[in-house]
């Protein structure tokens, strides 16, 4: 397992991050076994959120850490200040309340990485950075970051922080995958486009990708004629993405891998630090991800997969 460093956290962060948006108390034993298997392959970082499973995901993680006595071995990323039925909640009151809830559910006294789940572009970055820095100073939060923010807003917030000697955002978590999204998954979601990736490369800001494997697009279970999965059709069905799948399949054959492993390798071979959030729910899926994470891709292969180079990849 490879790891990256994120400013604000003393522990290394595994490049595979375990998604937990299916952790319910009723299926606790499955979640615990899945976590044990994840740690066994060298994983240590978890992705959760205040809203996941109605708050129950954090509760399951808290119970697991208490039973196993392994809080010090884990890096927890949780997210908060998601909008509700009344609208945006990116404000000090919501941030304070959600962090307090998350710490209680997780049965811990600190959160390694805290991200704002959505943005409210109408909210000045000053209030947001000031509110989060209060938690860093109190020791309840280590690193701060964002999910589904544009790079321009991150830049604005970090410039404000730097000008005032405060801590800025040290990671971002948008969608990044080999399949490019036609439209947002949900309102307010952000996918990393070419300009976003270029900015991350310049800044070397870690990117933690959700839906890193494009929700199963590269499994081989789907085709242009199969339109049964409405969300997948809406977000990922396009001529260019079918071509990316074809190329991933060809490259996988050459490397003795699967197309979905190539798609994962694409996320982890970017020219800036990345982690891939994975939804693996079985040991077989975890081992597939572990193998995919070890695949090295050349710049030529990356450009070919991403259609930057439209010509066929020639092998000597």
């Amino acid at each position: 397992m490879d790891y990256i460093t994120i400013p604000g956290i003393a522990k290394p962060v595994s490049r595979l991050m375990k998604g937990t948006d299916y952790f319910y108390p009723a299926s606790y034993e499955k979640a615990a076994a899945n976590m044990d298997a994840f740690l066994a392959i060298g994983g240590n970082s978890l992705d959760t959120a205040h809203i996941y499973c109605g708050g129950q995901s954090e509760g399951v993680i808290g119970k697991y850490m208490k039973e196993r006595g392994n809080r010090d071995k884990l890096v927890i990323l949780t997210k908060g200040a998601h909008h509700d039925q009344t609208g945006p909640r990116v404000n000090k009151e919501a941030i304070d309340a959600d962090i307090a809830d998350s710490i209680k559910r997780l049965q811990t006294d600190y959160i390694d990485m805290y991200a704002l789940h959505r943005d409210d572009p109408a909210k000045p970055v000053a209030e947001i950075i000031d509110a989060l820095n209060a938690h860093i100073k109190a020791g309840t939060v280590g690193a701060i970051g964002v999910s589904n923010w544009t790079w321009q807003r991150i830049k604005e917030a970090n410039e404000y922080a730097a000008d005032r000697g405060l801590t800025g955002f040290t990671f971002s978590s948008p969608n990044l995958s080999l399949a490019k999204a036609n439209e947002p998954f949900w309102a307010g979601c952000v996918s990393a486009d070419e300009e976003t990736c270029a900015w991350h490369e310049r800044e070397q800001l870690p990117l933690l990708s959700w839906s890193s494997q494009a929700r199963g697009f590269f499994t081989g279970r789907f085709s242009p004629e199969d339109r049964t999965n409405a969300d997948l059709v809406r977000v990922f069905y396009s001529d260019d993405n079918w071509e990316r799948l074809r190329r991933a399949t060809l490259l996988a054959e050459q490397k003795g891998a699967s197309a979905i492993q190539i798609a994962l390798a694409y996320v982890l071979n970017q020219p800036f630090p990345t982690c891939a959030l994975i939804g693996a729910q079985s040991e077989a899926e975890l081992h597939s991800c572990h193998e995919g994470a070890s695949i090295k891709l050349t710049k030529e292969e990356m450009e070919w997969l991403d259609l930057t180079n439209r010509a066929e990849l020639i092998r000597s």
Side-chain angles (χ1 to χ4, degrees):
M1 179 71 68
D2 289 334
Y3 304 84
I4 66 170
T5 299
I6 293 181
I9 310 171
K11 291 176 272 188
V13 180
S14 63
R15 299 195 69 197
L16 293 180
M17 301 191 75
K18 184 73 192 71
T20 65
D21 196 12
Y22 63 96
F23 278 17
Y24 288 95
S27 55
Y28 174 75
E29 294 305 324
K30 174 187 175 181
N34 202 217
M35 282 297 308
D36 289 341
F38 180 61
L39 267 66
I41 63 170
N44 72 343
S45 54
L46 311 180
D47 169 69
T48 187
H50 185 265
I51 66 165
Y52 282 179
C53 307
Q56 295 177 98
S57 171
E58 291 178 326
V60 167
I61 294 168
K63 178 180 178 181
Y64 173 81
M65 293 191 299
K66 185 175 182 179
E67 284 189 356
R68 298 295 196 270
N70 62 1
R71 173 66 184 95
D72 61 323
K73 293 182 172 63
L74 295 170
V75 176
I76 298 172
L77 161 63
T78 195
K79 304 180 289 292
H82 195 283
H83 60 257
D84 62 15
Q85 65 276 10
T86 66
R89 298 177 59 252
V90 186
N91 56 65
K92 182 181 186 305
E93 293 74 24
I95 291 169
D96 291 349
D98 287 2
I99 287 177
D101 282 347
S102 293
I103 282 177
K104 183 177 181 180
R105 293 168 180 169
L106 290 163
Q107 301 188 52
T108 186
D109 55 2
Y110 70 98
I111 295 165
D112 302 278
M113 295 187 287
Y114 190 76
L116 299 172
H117 210 159
R118 289 287 191 277
D119 190 13
D120 176 5
K123 183 67 63 175
V125 295
E127 177 183 340
I128 298 168
I129 290 294
D130 289 349
L132 290 170
N133 269 259
H135 288 279
I136 294 173
K137 186 175 181 180
T140 50
V141 168
I144 57 172
V146 292
S147 182
N148 300 299
W149 277 43
T150 64
W151 70 266
Q152 293 92 337
R153 279 277 283 177
I154 300 171
K155 180 175 182 287
E156 181 187 359
N158 282 358
E159 287 174 350
Y160 169 83
D163 287 346
R164 288 154 182 81
L166 300 173
T167 299
F169 297 129
T170 57
F171 66 92
S172 177
S173 183
N175 162 247
L176 171 65
S177 66
L178 177 55
K180 306 310 175 190
N182 301 319
E183 61 181 71
F185 287 80
W186 303 281
C189 285
V190 170
S191 289
D193 57 14
E194 185 177 348
E195 191 177 73
T196 301
C197 290
W199 181 79
H200 274 272
E201 183 175 0
R202 290 195 301 271
E203 298 296 319
Q204 288 297 298
L205 187 82
L207 187 154
L208 320 179
S209 170
W210 55 264
S211 284
S212 59
Q213 294 170 297
R215 297 189 168 266
F217 182 82
F218 293 92
T219 59
R221 296 196 302 265
F222 305 98
S223 69
E225 297 74 31
D226 178 2
R227 306 183 71 83
T228 54
N229 187 320
D231 282 336
L232 208 67
V233 171
R234 175 178 62 86
V235 177
F236 285 129
Y237 276 35
S238 71
D239 289 344
D240 276 355
N241 282 339
W242 293 120
E243 175 62 11
R244 291 184 178 101
L245 172 57
R246 185 188 74 84
R247 294 186 179 203
T249 302
L250 288 175
L251 192 57
E253 290 171 358
Q254 295 175 7
K255 292 182 177 290
S258 65
I260 198 165
Q261 289 174 326
I262 294 296
L264 181 64
Y266 169 83
V267 172
L268 296 176
N269 278 268
Q270 296 293 323
F272 48 86
T274 56
C275 293
L277 279 55
I278 57 171
Q281 297 188 32
S282 68
E283 281 198 54
E285 290 175 345
L286 280 170
H287 284 290
S288 174
C289 290
H290 192 204
E291 291 168 0
S294 69
I295 296 173
K296 302 303 180 185
L297 299 176
T298 66
K299 181 180 179 182
E300 180 188 31
E301 288 168 337
M302 291 283 284
E303 291 175 348
W304 185 72
L305 285 169
D306 209 13
L307 309 188
T308 304
N309 177 2
R310 290 277 177 172
E312 286 301 318
L313 191 65
I314 305 300
R315 292 296 190 191
S316 57

